[in-house]
Amino acid sequence: MPDSILEKAYYRSPIFLQNLAFSSYGLYLRRKRFWNGFSKNLERLRETEWWSASKIAQFQEQKFVEVVRHAYETVPFYRNLYDLHGVNIDQIKSLADAYKLPTITKVDIKNNLAGLVSAQYSGCRLMRQLTSGTTGTPLTVSLTKQALNLQWAIWWRHKSRFGLCPGDRHLVFGARVPVGVNQRKPPYWRRDYINNRDYLSTYHISRRNARTIADYLNSEEFSFYTGYPSAIYDLAYLLDEKGFEITSRPNWIVSGSDSLVPRYERLISRVFGAPVTEQYGMTEFAGNISKCEKGNFHVDFECGLVEVEGGNAAEGGALILTGWGNPAMPFIRYRIGDAAVPLSGSCDCGRQSFCFSQIEGRLEDYVVTPDGRRVTGMNQVFEYVTNAIEMQVYQEQLDLIEVRVVPGPNFGARDKDEFTREFRRRAGSEMAIKFRMVSSIDRSQSGKIKAVISDVSTEGSLQSS
């Protein structure tokens, strides 16, 4: 737990003990993600990705009808929603009937979490996962063990397209805090022996630490890097600026969680000497879209349906997702706040699943600290503010952030303290924090809230630390 006696003891422990503690947590993650039939799921997914278009359509139609009926019969939120909108559930017989169902948003989900879990799983032990997207509306999602297992199998099918295998040694660029923010000496990474990975503290990527991190990367052999492309880009930018060469190169870089914009991809690939791929997923398990060897995004139809609202091959449109991979908490016609452009024509890889050429959204700004570091992953901070409806961080100057909050009825001093504690764990104590209560937060054209708006998060603002 954050700021607990156990956490304080962890940060004060010798590095080898921290690595053992981190590995113990890795064992917990491994049991959640890779047991209960993971290998069988992955094997089957490698077969189904080559199904014909007609077989895929038939499969999706069956699953769509089944999950809608399941939701109406066992999930209070959907029964109330569909009754309110006059939906006759018996008339939902095919994918063509999807338009008869109302769409839902993250705010709808957050305001009705208790009514979103299927009564069929009442009393069952479910997994709890926090959404890791970049919006100001984090959610706690309940999943069955089988659903989490399938989700990780889908994510690993994507990696396997590029010759990567579970158990390969890899480096994670994530938003957790494995290294205390006040630590001023290396190592700025911790080792998980159970999952054969190192976890680099993205909060320690700075000009001062660039040489140390470069030497570390060159002393290790990683099969792949994975994590936030914004954080990987940050490091690539600093290494390139300093002229530090990476000679021990990964085979691939696998990005996710926020957008891999073209300029990120070009610099990352050049600096680390490895090709870059990405997949579009979410904790909600409402759908998943993964790149193939030809660089196009394929819908992972085994877990859900992806609609494009009002889109066409030239312009694309907002994504509406329906997931059937997690019957404990299904998301049906869910507006996730991102947009995509369908591929014109078929993909040369030979897969017949629906394909996109581009996915837009999930681009996260940084909070830039006075010592030049860039802090991303604000969702990991927002999760502790349980009584806020929506949140956004605005930074106009280096030493101050404004936290805009749409408060719930019970929002108060404790929520502010929780935010402050978690933010300072990542950014340090040099910045002032100002809270401002608002009635709403502006959205993009796709209906999404940016978690961070920073007027100083540009390359030119990076400072020596």
Side-chain angles (χ1 to χ4, degrees), residues 199-231:
Y199 199 111
L200 177 65
S201 171
T202 58
Y203 309 110
H204 287 81
I205 294 175
S206 68
R207 280 193 175 91
R208 186 185 68 179
N209 298 332
R211 165 61 79 181
T212 298
I213 296 175
D215 290 344
Y216 156 67
L217 296 180
N218 285 329
S219 70
E220 303 286 347
E221 292 186 5
F222 294 106
S223 179
F224 65 98
Y225 299 166
T226 185
Y228 284 88
S230 52

Side-chain angles (χ1 to χ4, degrees), residues 287-303:
N288 209 84
I289 310 172
S290 307
K291 275 190 173 179
C292 69
E293 304 86 340
K294 300 297 181 179
N296 293 314
F297 289 95
H298 288 261
V299 172
D300 295 302
F301 64 88
E302 296 90 348
C303 67

